[in-house]
Amino acid sequence: MQVLQLNRSQNYAVSFFKGAMLVLAGPGSGKTAVITSRVLSLIEDRGIPPENILVITFSKAAAEEMKQRFMKLGKNIVNDVNGGNGGNNVNGGNNVNGGDNVNGGNNGYNGVSFGTFHAIFFRIVREAYDYDISNIISEKDKNIFLTDAMKRAGVTVQNEREFREKLSAAISMLKSGENDSLWEKAARMLAIESDRLRAVYREYTSAMKNTGRIDFDDMMLLCLEVFEKRREILKYWQERFRFILIDEFQDINPLQYRLVKMLAYPENNIFAVGDDDQSIYGFRGASPKLMFEFEKDFKGCRRTVLDTNYRSGEEIVAGAARLISHNNERFRKRTISRKGPGAKLERMHFDSFEEEMDFICEELAVKCAEGRKLAGTAVLYRMNTQIRPLYNRLLTRNIPCRLREKTADIFEHWIAEDISAYLRIVEGSTSRADYLRIINKPVRYVGRDSFRNERMCLKDLFEANRDKRYVTERLEKLQNDLAFMSRLNVTAMLKYLFYGGGYGKYLKEYASSKNVDETELFAIYDELADSSKAFDKPQEWFEFIELHREKVKKEAAFETFRQTGNEPDGVELMTFHRSKGLELDTVYIIDASEGFTPQSRAETAEEIEEERRAFYVAATRARNELFICDANDRLGRTTRPSRFIAEMGLMV
């Protein structure tokens, strides 16, 4: 079969027939072409019936793209594989709909099956246990269940929404392969005691069981139960899917891997395509170690490397290779650029964070003025909190942009509420709620029993604590701080509050006690301070906040609208993780500083290696231009260049 022009390593992978093969496919190496060509080769050259072939992906979009690519390649021989009533499909993401191509019609399986892990395994569970879509919990109900479980387990947090998101990821990780090390990792991630986490987990899973609901991880646990207890069902699916191909194998978790091994037995015709250097979902239980286990688990396994990068210029490929070579837990491989030299790889170093943001805005504004499209240009960052200052600047300058991930309204963050309470008190507030909110931030040892009236002032607190010198000394400091702040503009107030008023010390101590990344908290404070620069009085800033909230609502409505049609031109704004799998002409990586990338919470060698892989993923999105930006100062705090800059050979 000669359908596509394949290079030597691609051809070797496509022509492989029976047994296990591990295909190490680096960025831009044509892995989709290899998978689709191999499927076609199995059918046309080896005579394998299409219904005996299963292609597993990690997202609905990837499944659909793979199917479409194969249909173009293989003379439209694929039919959706539907079962039952034909309308219940699982997308493997956060909801269930009809897009995953793992369906069955009344005529049985008539073609190659393309689908996500969740779609495949829900198909099996649905038939074994008579489940349907109504059993799968919605995100809204899941949040309710998680909140109730937290309350019953006695878990209280400052930011419930943020904690709930982390809790959901932690529970998913625990279900992927429960063991003591995962419990410890999840507890650290959530900054709660292991026993408290176990209590929340019990409450959540009990509520799910009592209401007959399942989540996406339960699908796979139930499938494991089916395979272990109903051997005739396992045998049926083993005979059905005699050839299994897995895309993005580096993202597999232990439970998924266990199920795949059971499904592939005894023929073990399993074709795993992935890149250990792009394994960045440790928080979901994925680990590049599973790729090393693959060769041990499947005796006689073949391995090949797709070593030609068709996406990026030579300079970008070489810089990324230098970076990732600092990881120890990886397959050693050499990658060459098919495009050759001519790409631009530059470190852009600035004195301040503001200069860094202004540089990017100006670059994009020039493109717009010249009539050049911004499609294919992206700004990438490690954490969601990093993009809002740039996003606001882009909106102000009418530079078209697309925020690929929903970011929470920063003015609803508890830090913003703390700051607002401080400023209201500076302005003369006598609200009991305002004083309660800030009185022990930093700690001043003022008890709740000191708040005896709905209207309060410092005089009342002095009176309630007149016999406690260690308290009144701190109240005197607060009194002096508030008096000094009253003479400043808003930005100066926030700077003084952070350094002179002790709030920065409070955030640092809070981060330490809760095992939270202090850099994220500081970044939020920085952004709030940055948003206040145009205002002299707190009231002016408060009015701006209200206008901002209205704008956020309108933007959300517009985003919903434009998703229904063709998206307008604009620069893409997204995290490293969200960019995975994309190809872009020009990439700007912002905040390439220690504490941001790698994050300050990354302490162990394993965690640093995952951070490096995330940076590698971001860097290898670029075809022609890659700008890595960092600054000496971030709103008054000195920052150091990310170690990854030097590892790419860009330090001067």
Side-chain angles (χ1 to χ4, degrees):
M1 180 197 71
Q2 186 65 40
V3 178
L4 294 176
Q5 188 71 32
L6 302 175
N7 65 36
R8 183 177 180 180
S9 56
Q10 289 174 330
N11 215 25
Y12 175 68
V14 167
S15 60
F16 177 74
F17 185 30
K18 288 189 174 182
M21 172 174 273
L22 180 63
V23 181
L24 300 177
S29 60
K31 66 182 179 63
T32 302
V34 166
I35 292 172
T36 52
S37 295
R38 171 168 166 75
V39 172
L40 193 60
S41 175
L42 287 172
I43 295 169
E44 295 196 347
D45 298 340
R46 305 292 188 176
I48 304 301
E51 60 268 22
N52 289 157
I53 301 172
L54 170 64
V55 180
I56 304 177
T57 68
F58 276 82
S59 72
K60 169 189 171 183
E64 182 62 26
E65 180 189 358
M66 195 77 73
K67 172 197 168 188
Q68 294 301 328
R69 292 274 292 272
F70 176 64
M71 288 179 68
K72 290 178 182 178
L73 189 66
K75 303 174 184 177
N76 296 327
I77 64 171
V78 171
N79 293 315
D80 283 356
V81 185
N82 283 323
N85 57 24
N88 296 331
N89 314 310
V90 185
N91 74 359
N94 293 325
N95 51 56
V96 180
N97 59 32
D100 239 356
N101 314 318
V102 186
N103 304 316
N106 294 329
N107 297 324
Y109 286 85
N110 299 316
V112 178
S113 296
F114 291 89
T116 64
F117 277 102
H118 294 129
I120 300 297
F121 295 129
F122 182 65
R123 164 69 176 153
I124 296 169
V125 167
R126 187 174 64 182
E127 294 193 2
Y129 288 118
D130 197 28
Y131 276 107
D132 61 31
I133 297 302
S134 65
N135 294 105
I136 301 175
I137 194 168
S138 67
E139 277 300 301
K140 180 180 178 181
D141 286 347
K142 184 175 183 179
N143 286 335
I144 293 172
F145 278 41
L146 289 171
T147 300
D148 289 345
M150 289 162 55
K151 290 178 179 177
R152 286 194 293 270
V155 174
T156 57
V157 293
Q158 292 248 32
N159 190 323
E160 186 176 287
R161 181 195 59 79
E162 181 181 325
F163 182 85
R164 201 168 50 221
E165 289 178 358
K166 292 181 180 179
L167 176 61
S168 179
I171 289 175
S172 180
M173 180 174 66
L174 291 169
K175 288 182 178 180
S176 75
E178 287 191 49
N179 59 55
D180 289 340
S181 65
L182 283 180
W183 281 101
E184 292 170 6
K185 182 178 180 179
R188 285 199 314 273
M189 183 171 73
L190 295 167
I192 62 175
E193 302 85 356
S194 181
D195 290 345
R196 190 64 58 87
L197 173 58
R198 290 177 186 275
V200 175
Y201 184 88
R202 284 195 302 270
E203 293 288 351
Y204 172 72
T205 53
S206 176
M208 294 282 284
K209 184 176 181 180
N210 292 339
T211 56
R213 312 290 280 281
I214 59 174
D215 58 25
F216 291 106
D217 301 297
D218 292 329
M219 292 179 194
M220 290 182 287
L221 288 170
L222 287 169
C223 193
L224 179 62
E225 184 178 282
V226 170
F227 283 175
E228 290 179 337
K229 295 181 178 180
R230 305 277 299 276
R231 292 292 173 175
E232 75 283 3
I233 293 178
L234 173 59
K235 187 172 186 294
Y236 169 81
W237 290 104
Q238 287 171 336
E239 292 175 352
R240 170 66 71 184
F241 296 134
R242 292 177 49 228
F243 288 83
I244 300 173
L245 299 85
I246 305 175
D247 187 24
E248 303 285 7
F249 187 71
Q250 75 279 350
D251 295 336
I252 202 168
N253 68 38
L255 176 57
Q256 292 165 339
Y257 184 46
R258 184 176 177 184
L259 287 166
V260 165
K261 286 193 292 184
M262 295 177 77
L263 196 58
Y265 186 82
E267 294 188 54
N268 292 332
N269 296 323
I270 184 166
F271 188 80
V273 182
D275 182 9
D276 54 306
D277 291 334
Q278 296 186 72
S279 179
I280 59 175
Y281 293 115
F283 59 90
R284 296 180 186 169
S287 170
K289 293 178 181 178
L290 293 176
M291 296 188 73
F292 291 95
E293 290 182 17
F294 184 87
E295 292 185 309
K296 298 176 183 176
D297 292 336
F298 295 95
K299 303 302 181 185
C301 171
R302 303 284 184 87
R303 187 209 302 176
T304 188
V305 179
L306 304 186
D307 56 5
T308 302
N309 184 313
Y310 292 90
R311 175 189 304 158
S312 306
E314 188 174 288
E315 294 80 1
I316 295 171
V317 170
R322 286 192 293 269
L323 168 74
I324 204 63
S325 69
H326 287 77
N327 273 7
N328 294 315
E329 192 74 35
R330 64 185 294 264
F331 291 100
R332 300 293 162 181
K333 43 187 130 29
R334 176 175 172 268
T335 304
I336 59 173
S337 168
R338 178 64 178 270
K339 295 176 72 172
K344 185 179 289 185
L345 170 61
E346 293 184 20
R347 176 203 180 190
M348 308 303 295
H349 181 66
F350 304 92
D351 288 332
S352 69
F353 171 74
E354 289 88 347
E355 289 181 16
E356 181 181 340
M357 298 295 100
D358 290 342
F359 161 75
I360 294 173
C361 284
E362 193 58 36
E363 286 268 303
L364 299 174
V366 168
K367 285 187 177 183
C368 290
E370 294 174 350
R372 296 156 63 189
K373 295 288 187 182
L374 295 183
T377 299
V379 177
L380 307 183
Y381 40 92
R382 178 61 182 87
M383 299 175 289
N384 250 325
T385 52
Q386 293 170 254
I387 194 56
R388 284 181 294 235
L390 177 60
Y391 180 56
N392 288 334
R393 281 173 166 81
L394 294 173
L395 291 178
T396 300
R397 297 186 62 171
N398 293 317
I399 297 172
C401 58
R402 297 202 299 270
L403 197 59
R404 282 298 186 183
E405 289 150 298
K406 182 180 179 182
T407 58
D409 181 358
I410 191 172
F411 296 111
E412 293 181 355
H413 196 280
W414 58 266
I415 293 177
E417 293 175 356
D418 286 353
I419 292 172
S420 296
Y422 262 110
L423 297 190
R424 283 193 294 268
I425 291 172
V426 168
E427 293 285 276
S429 171
T430 58
S431 166
R432 181 175 184 267
D434 283 344
Y435 275 96
L436 269 171
R437 181 161 201 97
I438 61 92
I439 198 61
N440 285 310
K441 299 177 180 180
V443 174
R444 299 183 178 95
Y445 303 102
V446 178
R448 200 175 184 88
D449 58 354
S450 299
F451 295 84
R452 298 165 183 170
N453 305 306
E454 282 303 311
R455 292 296 168 186
M456 298 291 302
C457 65
L458 279 176
K459 182 179 178 181
D460 298 324
L461 296 178
F462 274 111
E463 179 62 25
N465 294 277
R466 61 181 181 273
D467 298 329
K468 302 173 183 175
R469 185 59 186 162
Y470 62 95
V471 175
T472 57
E473 286 177 351
R474 287 166 173 79
L475 290 176
E476 287 170 1
K477 171 70 165 59
L478 173 61
Q479 187 175 48
N480 293 333
D481 289 339
L482 295 173
F484 183 76
M485 288 168 64
S486 68
R487 300 193 292 270
L488 306 175
N489 63 32
V490 180
T491 303
M493 284 185 191
L494 298 190
K495 187 171 184 178
Y496 180 82
L497 177 61
F498 189 92
Y499 293 103
Y503 192 79
K505 181 181 178 184
Y506 161 73
L507 288 180
K508 193 175 185 68
E509 291 173 348
Y510 175 86
S512 177
S513 65
K514 299 293 186 181
N515 193 28
V516 175
D517 187 352
E518 67 180 44
T519 307
E520 290 185 24
L521 300 183
F522 292 165
I524 290 167
Y525 197 95
D526 288 349
E527 184 181 342
L528 290 164
D530 187 62
S531 74
S532 72
K533 285 185 174 180
F535 311 103
D536 288 327
K537 301 296 183 183
Q539 186 57 39
E540 296 172 353
W541 189 50
F542 294 152
E543 290 171 1
F544 163 78
I545 291 172
E546 288 305 313
L547 290 173
H548 170 85
R549 285 174 173 157
E550 288 300 317
K551 183 170 68 175
V552 168
K553 290 178 183 177
K554 291 178 181 178
E555 281 292 314
F558 177 64
E559 180 63 27
T560 301
F561 168 77
R562 70 185 179 191
Q563 285 176 356
T564 63
N566 294 325
E567 292 187 348
D569 179 56
V571 59
E572 307 260 19
L573 311 174
M574 70 191 94
T575 60
F576 294 171
H577 286 76
R578 183 61 184 266
S579 73
K580 189 168 175 289
L582 298 182
E583 296 188 359
L584 300 156
D585 294 319
T586 301
V587 168
Y588 298 89
I589 294 178
I590 62 170
D591 278 336
S593 303
E594 290 290 310
F596 289 99
T597 177
Q599 293 186 86
S600 60
R601 73 173 65 175
E603 298 175 348
T604 67
E606 183 178 358
E607 290 167 340
I608 293 295
E609 292 209 352
E610 177 149 341
E611 290 289 307
R612 187 176 286 111
R613 291 194 295 269
F615 198 90
Y616 175 79
V617 165
T620 54
R621 300 310 93 199
R623 294 189 185 99
N624 306 316
E625 296 179 310
L626 174 59
F627 300 99
I628 299 176
C629 308
D630 71 297
N632 289 331
D633 176 272
R634 208 178 198 280
L635 296 177
R637 281 196 298 279
T638 301
T639 56
R640 293 182 294 114
S642 169
R643 69 194 74 182
F644 302 150
I645 294 175
E647 290 173 359
M648 291 188 78
L650 297 177
M651 291 292 280
V652 293

